[in-house]
Amino acid sequence: MARATIDDVAALAGVSMKTVSRVVNKEPNVRATTREKVESAIAELDYRPSQSARSLAANRSYVLGLLYDNPSASYVIDVQSGALASCRRLGYDLLIHPCSHESASIIEEVLSLVRQNRVDGLILTPPLSDMVELVHQLVEAKVPVVRLSPTEDKKICPYVQTNDQQAAYEMTCRLLDLGHTRIGFIAGHPDHKAVVQRFLGYKQALDDRAIALDPALVEQGYNSFDSGSECAERLLALADAPTAIFAGNDDMAAGAIIAAHHRGISMPAELSIAGFDDTPVAHQIYPSLTTVRQPISDMSERAVELLLRSIDGKPKGAEASMDCCILERESTGKAPSV
Amino acid sequence: MARATIDDVAALAGVSMKTVSRVVNKEPNVRATTREKVESAIAELDYRPSQSARSLAANRSYVLGLLYDNPSASYVIDVQSGALASCRRLGYDLLIHPCSHESASIIEEVLSLVRQNRVDGLILTPPLSDMVELVHQLVEAKVPVVRLSPTEDKKICPYVQTNDQQAAYEMTCRLLDLGHTRIGFIAGHPDHKAVVQRFLGYKQALDDRAIALDPALVEQGYNSFDSGSECAERLLALADAPTAIFAGNDDMAAGAIIAAHHRGISMPAELSIAGFDDTPVAHQIYPSLTTVRQPISDMSERAVELLLRSIDGKPKGAEASMDCCILERESTGKAPSV
DNA sequence: AAACAAACTGACAGCGCTGTCATCTCAATT
DNA sequence: AATTGAGATGACAGCGCTGTCAGTTTGTTT
C-alpha cells in the first residue's frame, strides 16, 4: 500500500487538495468544521506531506545550513543543539556544513549550497562569521544569513553576540582582586573576533587599575591545547613569572595547567589559571578550571529565529546580545605573596 | 536574471532535457562530443540542478539521517565528520538527528523522518543501534539502515563494528604485564553493547592469566565523568585498593584521575589508570591518559558507503570490522610493589 | 550491401505539492 | 428583500526534474 498523498486526503475529507494544504500549513481562513474533517482524514490515512514536493512547489527547501570551522567539538555540538531546537520547533531541518575558512573556494562552495536550493538560509559561526568578504558576497547574493559574532557593520545582516570583552574584563578584575598583579594572557587566534575581544577586556581591566601592560606577559596562542601549553611554558620560564594566567579559551587554559603540572607548580597555591568557554574539559581537569560560560546553544537557537524571520521577509537588522557568566572553580586563588 | 534550469541548458547545448539529465547524473551512453557540448553549456550558464526537483522526480531525497543519543561531543563530532566525508564524495547530504533513546515515541519519530521523504536511509549509532525493537521496525518498514554496533543478528542489516573486546583484552594484559594483579574495572552503561564488550575483554584477560575476578573491584558506571569519579572513589577507599583502574571509557577514566588527585595519589607511581576511546580529554589531563583509539570517523565513513549500497539495492548483509589501537601515555606504569 | 544489434537521443507524462485567481457562501447591512 | 463584502473553498497550472519507452543513429556481421 503506497503512501497517502494530498489527493487521497482531499478525497476522503470531501474537500479540495488546496484546503488540505491550508490545514497542513496552518493557514488561516479555514472553517473549524472543515479543519476537523481534514485533520481526521489525515490521521486516518497517516498522511505526511512529501518534503520534496512542497520544496519544489513552494520554492524553499525548509532546510537551514549551519556553517562552521571550529576545532572545538563541544562548541560545535552546543551550536548544533541550539540550532536544532529552534529548527524542530519551526518545522525546519538543519544541514551541517563544516568547512575550512582558509580554503580558497569557500565562497563558491557556500554559494553552491544555496544555488542548488539545498538551504534557505545560513548561520555563520566564528571564524567564518568574521570573514568580511564571505558575508558581503552572501548578502549581495540575497542569501539570508545570520552571524554568530560581534560586529561593527550592524546593518549588514542580523547577528547574535555575547559581551566577551565585558566578561574578560570582569575575570581580569577578579584576578586583580585576588592580589595578582602580574597576570599573563594567552591570546587566541587573531582571525577570531570574539576571542580578540577577550584580550581587549583584559587590557582594559589592567588599564582601569592603573597597571601597566607588560608585553612579556602576553603570548600569542592559536586556540589549541598545544599552543596554550607552549605559551604557558614560555610565561612560566620568565625570570619574573606571572602568578596568574588568563587564557583566551579553555583549551589553551588546559594546556597551561598541564605545563604547570610538568613544572611541578601547584595550583592555585602558586599559580592561578583562568579560561573562557566552559568546555567539558574545564571540569574534567585538575584543578578544575575557573572560566566563563557562554550561552552558546541559546545563541544559536536565537540565531535560527532571526534567520527565519529574515527568510520570511521580516525587518532586517535584527540582533541579539546575550550575557556570559563567570564560574569560579579550583584553579584560581589568592596571589602567593599576599 | 533567474537561475538557469535544465531546459535552458538543453536549449543552449542543442540537445534534449533528458540528455542534460544524463550528463548531470553521469549516466552511461552519452557520446563524448555530446557530453562536452552539454558540459560547456552548463558551465556557461552556471547551472546547478535543483535538489528539490530531482528529489520529487526521482523519489529520493539524496539525504541520509544520522541518529545518535550520545553525550560525548567528541564521539558525535567524529561520527559526523566521517559520515560527511562519504556523503560529500557521493553527492548526499547529511541530516543530524540527536534523540533520546529513552523516549517512548522514538520509533514513531524516526519513522516519520522517512515517511516524509526527508531521508533515504539511516545510520544508527550506539546506544540507538543496540535497540532491537527500533532496528526491527525500521527493517520491517524497508528503511535502509546501517548500524554502528557489534551485533549477533548479522543478517538483519549492514553494520560496522570494532573489536572492543579484543582491545580491552590487550589493554588488561598490558596492565598485568606491568605487574598489576589487583586491577579495578569501571564498567560502562549496560545499554551500550560495545562498552559491555570491553568488560568481557577484561574478564577474559584475567581468566587467561588465572587471576580470579574480585567482584569488589568491579564498579558499575554510566559512561559519564561523574560516575567514573564516584566509582573510583569507592575503589580507592577499599582496604585492599587496586593498583590500577581500567575504565570503560575516557570520561570515566578522567573522573578516576580526578578522584585520585583529590586523594593525593600520584599517578602512575601509585596508581595506573587506563581508558578507552581517546577523546580529546585523554591528552588534556594530567597525567595524560593511556587509552584505546577507535577509528570512529573511518567507521562512519564506511557506514555511509554500506548504506548507499543498500539504498541502491546492492547485496544486503554487508559488514565491516575495524581495528582499535592502544595508546600508551603517562597514566600507566609499573605496579608499586614491583 | 543488407540486416541486425548496440549505442545514443528525445518526447512526454508525471512526481506531490503550492500560488494565483476565480468562485461561492452567508451573515451583516441598507 | 436586495446588496455587499469578507471569509471560505476550489480549479488549475506549474515548480524542475527523472523514468519510460519509442525512435534514430552508428557500428558490426554475413
Side-chain angles (χ1 to χ4, degrees):
Chain A
M1 189 196 67
R3 279 187 31 214
T5 72
I6 200 170
D7 292 284
D8 303 328
V9 177
L12 181 60
V15 299
S16 79
M17 206 162 84
K18 181 64 211 185
T19 297
V20 178
S21 169
R22 286 195 180 93
V23 172
V24 168
N25 292 295
K26 306 196 197 313
E27 284 173 31
N29 299 343
V30 178
R31 196 175 304 159
T33 57
T34 312
R35 185 181 303 278
E36 277 160 28
K37 269 193 306 185
V38 171
E39 272 164 359
S40 72
I42 288 176
E44 185 171 336
L45 297 174
D46 193 23
Y47 165 73
R48 324 281 171 105
S50 151
Q51 200 63 20
S52 5
R54 35 192 341 230
S55 298
L56 181 58
N59 193 31
R60 47 153 99 187
S61 63
Y62 299 96
V63 174
L64 301 180
L66 175 64
L67 260 53
Y68 53 86
D69 175 17
N70 193 309
S72 159
S74 67
Y75 176 82
V76 171
I77 289 289
D78 283 349
V79 170
Q80 288 180 355
S81 81
L84 278 168
S86 277
C87 281
R88 286 187 185 175
R89 186 157 28 81
L90 302 167
Y92 263 69
D93 279 328
L94 185 71
L95 213 60
I96 55 174
H97 194 93
C99 52
S100 164
H101 76 286
E102 281 163 339
S103 150
S105 57
I106 177 151
I107 293 181
E108 172 59 22
E109 178 185 333
V110 171
L111 275 174
S112 174
L113 272 180
V114 182
R115 305 281 314 283
Q116 288 179 115
N117 280 358
R118 282 154 119 81
V119 299
D120 294 339
L122 293 170
I123 300 159
L124 298 185
T125 63
L128 299 167
S129 49
D130 296 328
M131 295 176 65
V132 178
E133 179 63 16
L134 173 63
V135 175
H136 270 274
Q137 291 231 17
L138 289 172
V139 170
E140 209 158 286
K142 307 237 184 271
V143 181
V145 170
V146 171
R147 298 164 63 196
L148 237 57
S149 272
T151 187
E152 286 101 41
D153 323 318
K154 295 193 186 289
K155 301 277 165 58
I156 201 165
C157 72
Y159 63 92
V160 180
Q161 67 178 357
T162 47
N163 52 355
D164 288 61
Q165 182 167 350
Q166 177 63 22
Y169 176 87
E170 285 169 23
M171 178 67 89
T172 310
C173 288
R174 295 231 189 170
L175 292 172
L176 291 166
D177 290 342
L178 287 166
H180 298 278
T181 51
R182 291 189 60 73
I183 303 175
F185 192 86
I186 304 180
H189 200 293
D191 284 356
H192 195 308
K193 199 175 273 184
V195 173
V196 170
Q197 293 212 328
R198 297 171 192 173
F199 177 60
L200 299 180
Y202 160 82
K203 261 198 341 203
Q204 190 190 333
L206 293 185
D207 214 48
D208 281 8
R209 301 290 182 99
I211 294 179
L213 188 150
D214 180 351
L217 291 183
V218 178
E219 285 283 341
Q220 179 66 58
Y222 295 93
N223 290 6
S224 68
F225 173 85
D226 289 336
S227 76
S229 154
E230 287 160 20
C231 290
E233 200 61 67
R234 286 193 289 273
L235 289 172
L236 297 172
L238 249 38
D240 193 7
T243 62
I245 295 179
F246 183 11
N249 75 3
D250 282 358
D251 280 353
M252 295 191 293
I257 284 182
I258 296 300
H261 273 305
H262 282 137
R263 280 186 162 258
I265 296 173
S266 96
M267 291 160 282
E270 300 174 76
L271 178 68
S272 286
I273 298 206
F276 206 115
D277 284 343
D278 192 34
T279 58
V281 76
H283 74 277
Q284 296 187 353
I285 53 179
Y286 184 82
S288 60
L289 186 65
T290 293
T291 187
V292 178
R293 160 174 284 158
Q294 295 186 94
I296 297 175
S297 79
D298 293 344
M299 289 170 69
S300 58
E301 197 168 339
R302 189 88 185 84
V304 166
E305 290 166 3
L306 293 181
L307 184 52
L308 282 185
R309 189 172 306 176
S310 157
I311 288 173
D312 291 336
K314 302 278 171 57
K316 298 262 176 172
E319 60 179 289
S321 277
M322 323 210 102
D323 289 328
C324 305
C325 72
I326 292 183
L327 298 177
E328 210 133 15
R329 296 214 183 88
E330 300 167 343
S331 67
T332 47
K334 286 200 171 157
S337 51
V338 176
Chain B
M1 188 196 69
R3 279 185 33 213
T5 72
I6 199 171
D7 291 285
D8 302 328
V9 178
L12 181 60
V15 299
S16 77
M17 206 163 82
K18 180 65 211 184
T19 297
V20 177
S21 169
R22 286 195 180 93
V23 172
V24 168
N25 293 294
K26 305 196 198 312
E27 285 173 30
N29 300 341
V30 178
R31 195 175 303 158
T33 56
T34 311
R35 185 181 304 278
E36 278 159 29
K37 269 193 306 185
V38 172
E39 272 164 358
S40 71
I42 288 176
E44 186 171 334
L45 297 173
D46 194 23
Y47 165 73
R48 323 282 170 106
S50 150
Q51 200 63 22
S52 5
R54 37 194 336 232
S55 298
L56 181 59
N59 193 31
R60 45 154 99 187
S61 63
Y62 299 96
V63 175
L64 301 180
L66 175 64
L67 260 52
Y68 53 86
D69 175 17
N70 195 308
S72 159
S74 67
Y75 177 82
V76 171
I77 289 290
D78 282 350
V79 170
Q80 288 179 357
S81 81
L84 277 168
S86 277
C87 279
R88 287 189 184 172
R89 186 157 27 81
L90 302 166
Y92 263 70
D93 278 329
L94 185 72
L95 213 60
I96 56 175
H97 194 93
C99 53
S100 163
H101 76 288
E102 281 163 340
S103 150
S105 58
I106 177 154
I107 293 181
E108 174 58 22
E109 177 185 334
V110 171
L111 276 173
S112 174
L113 272 180
V114 182
R115 306 281 313 283
Q116 288 179 112
N117 281 358
R118 281 162 184 267
V119 300
D120 294 339
L122 294 169
I123 300 159
L124 298 186
T125 63
L128 300 166
S129 49
D130 295 329
M131 295 176 66
V132 179
E133 181 61 16
L134 174 63
V135 175
H136 271 273
Q137 291 230 18
L138 288 172
V139 170
E140 211 157 286
K142 307 237 184 273
V143 181
V145 170
V146 171
R147 297 163 63 197
L148 236 57
S149 273
T151 188
E152 285 101 40
D153 324 318
K154 293 193 186 289
K155 302 278 164 57
I156 202 163
C157 73
Y159 63 93
V160 180
Q161 66 178 357
T162 47
N163 53 355
D164 287 61
Q165 181 167 351
Q166 176 64 23
Y169 177 88
E170 284 169 23
M171 179 66 89
T172 311
C173 289
R174 295 233 189 168
L175 292 171
L176 290 166
D177 290 343
L178 286 166
H180 299 278
T181 51
R182 289 188 62 71
I183 303 175
F185 191 85
I186 304 180
H189 200 294
D191 284 355
H192 195 308
K193 200 175 269 183
V195 173
V196 170
Q197 293 211 330
R198 296 172 192 173
F199 177 59
L200 298 179
Y202 161 80
K203 262 200 340 205
Q204 190 192 333
L206 293 185
D207 212 51
D208 281 7
R209 301 290 182 100
I211 293 178
L213 186 151
D214 180 351
L217 291 184
V218 179
E219 285 283 343
Q220 179 66 59
Y222 295 94
N223 290 7
S224 69
F225 174 83
D226 289 336
S227 77
S229 155
E230 288 159 20
C231 290
E233 201 60 66
R234 286 193 289 274
L235 289 172
L236 297 174
L238 251 36
D240 193 6
T243 60
I245 295 179
F246 183 10
N249 74 3
D250 281 357
D251 280 352
M252 296 190 293
I257 284 181
I258 296 300
H261 272 305
H262 281 136
R263 281 186 162 258
I265 296 173
S266 94
M267 293 160 281
E270 301 173 74
L271 177 69
S272 286
I273 298 206
F276 206 113
D277 284 343
D278 192 34
T279 58
V281 75
H283 76 277
Q284 296 187 351
I285 54 179
Y286 183 81
S288 60
L289 186 65
T290 294
T291 188
V292 178
R293 159 175 284 160
Q294 296 186 92
I296 297 175
S297 78
D298 293 345
M299 288 171 70
S300 57
E301 196 168 341
R302 188 90 185 83
V304 166
E305 291 167 2
L306 292 181
L307 184 53
L308 281 186
R309 191 173 304 178
S310 158
I311 288 172
D312 291 336
K314 300 279 170 56
K316 297 262 175 170
E319 60 179 290
S321 277
M322 323 210 102
D323 289 328
C324 304
C325 72
I326 291 182
L327 299 178
E328 211 133 14
R329 296 212 182 90
E330 300 166 345
S331 67
T332 47
K334 285 199 172 157
S337 50
V338 176

